[in-house]
Structures are given as C-alpha cells and as structure tokens.
Amino acid sequence: MLLGASSAYAAWPEIPVPADAQAEAIGDEVRLNGIPMRMHRILSHQSVKDILGFYRDALGPRLAERNVAGSTILSQERGDYFITVKVRPLSAKLNEVLVSASDMVEAKRAANRPLGFSLPANSMVMSDMESLDAGKRSRQLVVSNRQALGTNIQVLTQELAVRGFGPDGAPVRDTDAQYVQQFKGDGREAQLTVVRQAGISHIVLTTIFNP
C-alpha cells in the first residue's frame, strides 16, 4: 500500500505503509501555514523498532532522525517535497505513525501571504491549519499575544461577525482566565477559546464551512 498516489496529486511522493497497518488520510486537502500538505495517520501493531526499520529502508540513507517527547521523527527532502514520519507508542501493543509530505515550492510562495483575518495588535500566529474533508472546509488558527482577555474576545467576535458568525447561546466558559464561545451562521460554525496565563493570552479559533 502506498500513500501519495492520486490523479490530483500525481507528483506527490509515494510513501509505503507497513504490512497489516491501518491508514487514514487527515483531510482531503490540508494546508499548514499556507503550505500544501498530504497527511496520513497509521496504526500498527508492529514494534516501534520494526516500524522505524521499515521507514528507514523505505526512505533510504539521506535521512535525518531525532527523538522528541517520546516520539521518533524521521525526515527527508525529496525533490520539491519534505517528508516527515513521526512514530509514537499509544499502548504496549499499538503504535501511531503520522506521515506527512509538504510542498517546499509552495512554502516559499506562502512565506509572506496575507492572513486574511484581522487579529488583535501584536499577535503571533503559532499555527494556521486549513483542511477540506468530506466537503467541509475548516481552519484552525492558534495565536498568542499580550492583549487582555476582553480585548481578544471583542476583536475576534467582531471579526467573526463580519464573516457571518454570531454567538450560539451563552459562552460555554467565561471566567477571568478562560473564555469559550460557540458561533453559528448560514452554513458555518466556529469556536473561540481564549486562555489567559502568566500575562499571555492563548487563542484557538476554529471555523468550519459546511457544504
């Protein structure tokens, strides 16, 4: 079984899957920080050692390897693409493999792209994930700044309103340090989470457009 082969993405690298493993695509189309990616999640009962051996053989000698927080990550540049394989144990008998390939040519073009969403002043975007899955287009922004909780709520609620989102009932959580609110609109929904900790506001904003 190979990951990456399709009529729409014929040029994407093909990455094999270990025998007897279960593989599923993460979204039909995925962009991380504006960079097109193909991502798969694989579950395998083989040992971590055997899985890593399989991917070392599959990817070949030009390979980087590092250990991060209990996971082993293999990475490789292949033509116009950058491949990563992250292996981590879920239990004594089950391991998870996250395989991704990103388009490095498009990455250069995306470097200075406009965000297309107004954020509170001096915000830093930690992650911007867009995906298309079963006709649903979703986007998750992870942001941090030093603005007060109320300032973030006001700015982002107004920005959502411009895009046709309105609050869906009372906030799920509303304290001095945390705020969670659901939003709805015509064929769309969103969730805004703001957490204030040690003088920093951490924001997760997820928007979903239904077919």
Side-chain angles (χ1 to χ4, degrees), residues 40-166:
H40 288 79
R41 180 175 185 255
I42 299 164
L43 298 177
S44 175
H45 293 287
Q46 294 188 33
S47 68
V48 169
K49 179 180 178 180
D50 288 343
I51 294 171
L52 290 172
F54 173 86
Y55 279 105
R56 289 186 188 112
D57 291 341
L59 296 176
R62 297 182 60 186
L63 187 68
E65 183 172 335
R66 60 194 175 102
N67 295 310
V68 179
S71 300
T72 301
I73 300 175
L74 309 178
S75 57
Q76 179 187 70
E77 289 188 19
R78 184 185 298 182
D80 292 331
Y81 297 91
F82 187 76
I83 298 168
T84 62
V85 177
K86 179 180 178 181
V87 184
R88 72 181 183 103
L90 296 179
S91 68
K93 297 183 178 180
L94 185 65
N95 296 298
E96 178 187 64
V97 185
L98 296 177
V99 180
S100 68
S102 56
D103 188 328
M104 295 191 296
V105 174
E106 288 297 320
K108 295 176 182 178
R109 296 173 183 166
N112 297 310
R113 84 193 199 290
L115 186 65
F117 200 98
S118 296
L119 298 174
N122 301 315
S123 292
M124 178 178 294
V125 177
M126 313 303 292
S127 174
D128 180 5
M129 175 76 81
E130 300 171 87
S131 67
L132 178 65
D133 191 8
K136 289 187 175 183
R137 186 168 296 278
S138 64
R139 184 181 188 183
Q140 184 182 78
L141 283 168
V142 180
V143 178
S144 67
N145 60 45
R146 293 187 175 273
Q147 301 289 346
L149 195 77
T151 300
N152 280 296
I153 294 168
Q154 180 181 9
V155 170
L156 295 169
T157 298
Q158 289 177 349
E159 189 68 14
L160 286 167
V162 170
R163 287 163 169 73
F165 295 90

Side-chain angles (χ1 to χ4, degrees), residues 153 157 166-175 178-184 190-192:
I153 294 168
T157 298
D168 183 21
V172 177
R173 185 170 302 140
D174 189 1
T175 70
Q178 296 184 23
Y179 179 84
V180 180
Q181 174 69 61
Q182 305 282 348
F183 295 82
K184 276 195 174 180
Q191 178 173 299
L192 171 63

